[in-house]
Amino acid sequence: KQEVTQIPAALSVPEGENLVLNCSFTDSAIYNLQWFRQDPGKGLTSLLLIQSSQREQTSGRLNASLDKSSGRSTLYIAASQPGDSATYLCAVPNNDMRFGAGTRLTVKP
Amino acid sequence: NAGVTQTPKFQVLKTGQSMTLQCAQDMNHEYMSWYRQDPGMGLRLIHYSVGAGITDQGEVPNGYNVSRSTTEDFPLRLLSAAPSQTSVYFCASSSSGTPVTEAFFGQGTRLTVV
């Protein structure tokens, strides 16, 4: 059974700081890994999808990496802004998509 | 481009009542699924469907029924609501196949059972 873990559970940083969110998974036989953002009371917004054959995927200030052999993915956010404040979730898709519990990020002005 | 649409957004039920949560997608996706999100538990899969006429159970299926008569719609039924079903429910869709492609989520239905 795939287990997905996200560390830290919460993170507070000052505006402008670069930061890294971590995601680990127990079964390395994955097709891909997806990062989502969830604002309070809202649904999930897809940020990045990394295919198992890729090592990195970038979108604007976001960069996600994937290391299947070690069962890890990181989401790097450059020059953080207060608007980045949200919960970030990683998920390993399959017929039975498994989610981490998320990292709640607060970026202080 | 509506994506995944869920209705209603909020609902209060009394214990024992029944209701249907609606989910529709306009992306011609084969794969659709229902999750519930609870504090401290994350998102857990309730039921999923890989195409019209095909459904299967996820991690927490008890108390819920689904059917998939069309590609676009995947309703979730609560036959006899219980307080333990108080949660936020999300519907998602994605293209099926291997590898599974990007998943898109609806905005959620916040259900309270009293």
Side-chain angles (χ1 to χ4, degrees):
Chain A
K1 175 182 171 182
Q2 179 74 270
E3 300 285 346
V4 181
T5 304
Q6 289 187 249
I7 295 174
L11 181 64
S12 181
V13 301
E15 182 177 3
E17 193 163 295
N18 302 327
L19 58 101
V20 174
L21 308 180
N22 297 294
C23 172
S24 61
F25 46 94
T26 55
D27 185 351
S28 62
I30 62 171
Y31 293 126
N32 55 51
L33 185 143
Q34 193 166 356
W35 282 93
F36 294 89
R37 168 185 173 138
Q38 185 176 28
D39 293 288
K42 302 293 186 182
L44 279 69
T45 300
S46 178
L47 295 174
L48 289 165
L49 174 72
I50 313 177
Q51 300 289 353
S52 60
S53 59
Q54 297 176 310
R55 293 190 65 84
E56 281 190 3
Q57 190 70 260
T58 298
S59 176
R61 293 183 293 108
L62 305 180
N63 176 276
S65 68
L66 176 64
D67 184 343
K68 280 182 56 178
S69 61
S70 66
R72 292 182 182 179
S73 176
T74 61
L75 180 67
Y76 174 83
I77 302 177
S80 59
Q81 303 171 358
D84 295 330
S85 297
T87 296
Y88 291 81
L89 298 157
C90 67
V92 178
N94 203 326
N95 278 350
D96 186 10
M97 189 183 242
R98 294 286 172 169
F99 282 83
T103 294
R104 181 165 27 180
L105 173 66
T106 302
V107 181
K108 298 180 179 179
Chain B
N1 48 344
V4 180
T5 303
Q6 289 183 237
T7 56
K9 289 186 170 55
F10 302 94
Q11 183 71 48
V12 178
L13 286 179
K14 293 182 179 179
T15 298
Q17 285 186 319
S18 63
M19 80 160 294
T20 299
L21 280 64
Q22 301 291 344
C23 176
Q25 54 91 9
D26 61 0
M27 297 173 282
N28 201 32
H29 284 169
E30 291 295 324
Y31 180 76
M32 296 185 74
S33 53
W34 278 100
Y35 295 85
R36 59 177 290 173
Q37 186 176 36
D38 302 291
M41 302 291 293
L43 281 100
R44 293 179 292 169
L45 182 66
I46 305 171
H47 285 285
Y48 66 93
S49 169
V50 298
I54 306 170
T55 64
D56 206 345
Q57 297 180 349
E59 185 182 2
V60 288
N62 292 341
Y64 308 95
N65 281 349
V66 292
S67 60
R68 184 93 179 271
S69 57
T70 67
T71 299
E72 294 78 20
D73 300 298
F74 190 42
L76 178 71
R77 297 183 186 86
L78 285 71
L79 298 181
S80 179
S84 61
Q85 294 178 305
T86 294
S87 186
V88 182
Y89 292 85
F90 289 101
C91 178
S93 75
S94 61
S95 300
S96 66
T98 303
V100 175
T101 54
E102 187 175 10
F104 296 87
F105 280 75
Q107 289 301 298
T109 295
R110 187 174 298 271
L111 175 67
T112 302
V113 182
V114 298

